[in-house]
Amino acid sequence: MLILLAGARVLLHLLVNGQYGFHRDELDTLDNARRLAWGYVAYPPVTPFLTRLGFELFGPSLVGLRLFPALAQGVVMVLAGLMAGALGGGRLPKIVAVLAVTASPIALTAGLMFHYLSYDYLWWVVIAFCLIRLLKSEDGRWWLGIGAAIGLGMMTKYTLVFFVAGLAAGVLFTPARRWLRSPWLWSGAALSLLIFLPNLLWQVQHNFISLEFLRSIHARDIAWGRTDGFLTDQLYVAANAITLPLWVAGLYFYLIAPEGKRYRALGWLYIVLLVLLLAARGRGYYLAAAYPMLLAAGSVWWEKWLMTLSTGTARQMRRTTVVALAVGVAIAIPLSLPVSPINSTVWQIANEINDNFREMIGWPELVEAAAAIYHELPADEQAHAAILTANYGQLGAINLYGPAYGLPGAISGINSAWERGYGDPPPQTAILLGFGPEDARRVFVSCEVAGRVTNRYDVANEESSWQPTIMLCRQPRHPWPDLWPHLRSFG
């Protein structure tokens, strides 16, 4: 049954993931995937590596490149059911756990886009599953699974350190601290460090540039108010409000219920993780992958609670719970997956709730507009012309769609693109995307507005609403070696 439910979820993604277009984050990932390395300014190497694998298999196909994230979330569904089973649940609690996990908006998004969230979510759930199996079986070899997942998680997204801190607290605050004397725990720790070592060495070689990036992005998120709704986001982003009774019951199971005594470490893991992210002013979705372990336990507690009711009442509660979860999934799907026509009523509602859909619109039109300007230049000027982008979405779009229009590769000061430089020979003419007139004239002597970014759906997104002018500029004010350091940015 778990495999069938997971298969249905993957099939759903295959049917709808090809809608709209690439998200700006995906364009960035794909651009970095063409240049495999042990690290990047914005994230570790696992996501670009898997994206490169998908690109080699499927080319620039939305459905193909999004297959691996969909499969990852299918595995998450199976693990959620298996966690419920390991905690003592029968067939129905497994199904309830799977439905509850699927109802999470962020979990659906994780199965849609190929970015680090998709795989980060998976590693958190793998760690929780291995921890449950460890505490249930007392088999220390599960520490190797925990260590491997931690290593892969750190090679995917650095926020896993919060989960590791919660795990450490869960071990230290409960009888699970006895494992500190086990060579299996330390073998697992050594395995995680071994897996993470290549990226750690890359960070050393690059002066831990990712720490500077993370500080910059965190300050931006606070300034923009993206961290203000952390607690409410737990109800509407990280998990579905309909599942609140289940994950609260799961926390009760781990921390208070007698049958959950041996699993106390997971309750403390969540509490410490919640407090740390709240104190650090993290974004609400950072905690999302901690909910499958709560939902699995809550489903088990729910089944045991039903046994205290009369037969008729229990039957009605089972039906009501399953229907409520199914409704939660049905509501979350059109708000989280590209199933509705662009600019339809449902699309507009979804667009107000999250910004993912609108950032998938208009990239081919942007490249077409830049190409029209480029090909109006005299041939000798084209030879010394570049396309300079302000953000990584524009950069990735030019590098993905540009070759079909005969465009040169884009240059940018954003994140890892800055390290790749400004090209040889240094450009004397540049088409600027994402720069306002004043910013453009700080870099070049002569600039003119040559076009404007639009899209055929008239969707207001970052490209069409913020600095939509396309500037054509000539004569850099300073030599490029002097200019380039001032163009570095994080985003």
Side-chain angles (χ1 to χ4, degrees):
M1 177 58 71
L2 295 180
I3 299 296
L4 289 176
L5 290 172
R9 164 76 179 277
V10 174
L11 178 60
L12 171 65
H13 282 296
L14 292 177
L15 292 175
V16 305
N17 278 3
Q19 303 297 317
Y20 307 167
F22 290 105
H23 188 277
R24 71 170 60 252
D25 290 352
E26 293 178 300
L27 291 169
D28 175 61
T29 303
L30 184 56
D31 198 56
N32 283 323
R34 295 192 183 93
R35 304 165 180 85
L36 292 181
W38 284 114
Y40 304 87
V41 169
Y43 36 69
V46 160
T47 305
F49 171 77
L50 292 174
T51 300
R52 175 63 174 272
L53 181 59
F55 187 80
E56 294 295 330
L57 291 173
F58 307 111
S61 162
L62 273 172
V63 175
L65 288 168
R66 290 171 171 176
L67 173 62
F68 290 163
L71 291 174
Q73 295 313 300
V75 173
V76 165
M77 291 175 64
V78 172
L79 290 176
L82 292 178
M83 283 192 285
L87 293 170
R91 181 172 178 270
L92 186 57
K94 293 177 184 178
I95 295 174
V96 167
V98 167
L99 289 175
V101 169
T102 306
S104 163
I106 202 67
L108 288 167
T109 300
L112 165 62
M113 296 191 296
F114 56 94
H115 59 135
Y116 49 67
L117 170 64
S118 308
Y119 307 111
D120 178 61
Y121 197 107
L122 171 63
W123 305 132
W124 283 40
V125 175
V126 170
I127 295 169
F129 170 75
C130 290
L131 182 59
I132 289 173
R133 294 299 306 172
L134 168 76
L135 297 175
K136 179 181 178 68
S137 67
E138 296 292 326
D139 186 345
R141 289 174 294 182
W142 284 102
W143 281 113
L144 297 178
I146 293 172
I150 289 174
L152 289 169
M154 287 297 295
M155 291 287 273
T156 302
K157 192 170 185 285
Y158 297 121
T159 50
L160 188 82
V161 296
F162 290 101
F163 195 88
V164 174
L167 173 62
V171 171
L172 291 173
F173 295 169
T174 67
R177 72 178 69 91
R178 67 187 180 278
W179 286 105
L180 293 172
R181 299 189 297 269
S182 170
W184 288 112
L185 183 151
W186 300 108
S187 297
L191 178 59
S192 67
L193 180 60
L194 181 63
I195 293 173
F196 179 58
L197 186 59
N199 182 248
L200 180 60
L201 293 175
W202 184 92
Q203 291 290 349
V204 170
Q205 293 168 354
H206 291 78
N207 299 312
F208 290 93
I209 185 64
S210 294
L211 293 179
E212 184 179 351
F213 166 84
L214 291 170
R215 282 193 293 267
S216 174
I217 294 301
H218 186 54
R220 179 206 66 182
D221 287 344
I222 292 175
W224 289 2
R226 288 182 171 180
T227 65
D228 293 346
F230 180 84
L231 292 177
T232 54
D233 281 350
Q234 304 315 303
L235 296 177
Y236 303 107
V237 178
N240 191 310
I242 289 176
T243 66
L244 175 63
L246 277 178
W247 61 260
V248 170
L251 195 57
Y252 171 84
F253 176 91
Y254 287 131
L255 291 176
I256 299 173
E259 60 268 33
K261 182 177 180 180
R262 72 164 61 215
Y263 304 108
R264 295 284 188 259
L266 284 98
W268 280 108
L269 190 164
Y270 175 83
I271 293 295
V272 170
L273 185 56
L274 174 66
V275 171
L276 287 176
L277 287 173
L278 185 60
R281 300 189 68 179
R283 296 183 65 174
Y285 75 86
Y286 289 179
L287 192 57
Y291 287 98
M293 66 182 187
L294 296 185
L295 294 169
S299 300
V300 174
W301 185 89
W302 167 79
E303 181 186 46
K304 294 183 181 301
W305 172 69
L306 290 179
M307 293 178 182
T308 67
L309 306 178
S310 66
T311 301
T313 302
R315 184 183 301 110
Q316 182 61 39
M317 286 301 301
R318 289 189 184 94
R319 185 182 299 112
T320 300
T321 300
V322 172
V323 170
L325 290 174
V327 169
V329 173
I331 292 174
I333 284 175
L335 299 180
S336 307
L337 297 180
V339 298
S340 304
I342 296 173
N343 285 330
S344 65
T345 301
V346 174
W347 192 92
Q348 295 287 359
I349 294 172
N351 194 36
E352 288 298 319
I353 294 173
N354 70 74
D355 64 358
N356 285 326
F357 291 165
R358 60 178 172 266
E359 298 306 329
M360 297 177 181
I361 305 301
W363 298 110
E365 292 96 316
L366 178 147
V367 177
E368 186 176 355
I373 298 169
Y374 177 80
H375 288 297
E376 287 181 356
L377 298 174
D380 58 339
E381 192 172 8
Q382 288 183 16
H384 297 87
I387 300 175
L388 176 63
T389 74
N391 69 51
Y392 54 71
Q394 299 156 351
L395 175 76
I398 293 293
N399 290 338
L400 176 62
Y401 299 114
Y405 292 91
L407 293 180
I411 62 173
S412 180
I414 192 80
N415 300 344
S416 292
W418 181 85
E419 297 180 336
R420 297 166 194 152
Y422 44 79
D424 187 17
Q428 298 304 305
T429 299
I431 299 169
L432 274 60
L433 296 170
F435 291 84
E438 291 185 6
D439 293 331
R441 292 187 179 104
R442 291 191 188 101
V443 183
F444 294 90
V445 173
S446 171
C447 289
E448 61 182 283
V449 175
R452 185 179 180 87
V453 176
T454 60
N455 59 74
R456 60 193 177 99
Y457 297 102
D458 292 323
V459 170
N461 56 20
E462 182 173 332
E463 302 310 314
S464 64
S465 303
W466 189 78
Q467 305 291 23
T469 54
I470 304 175
M471 305 297 298
L472 177 61
C473 298
R474 298 177 174 90
Q475 295 179 262
R477 290 188 178 275
H478 303 282
W480 277 96
D482 297 331
L483 281 174
W484 200 240
H486 298 288
L487 290 174
R488 181 162 213 174
S489 62
F490 296 125

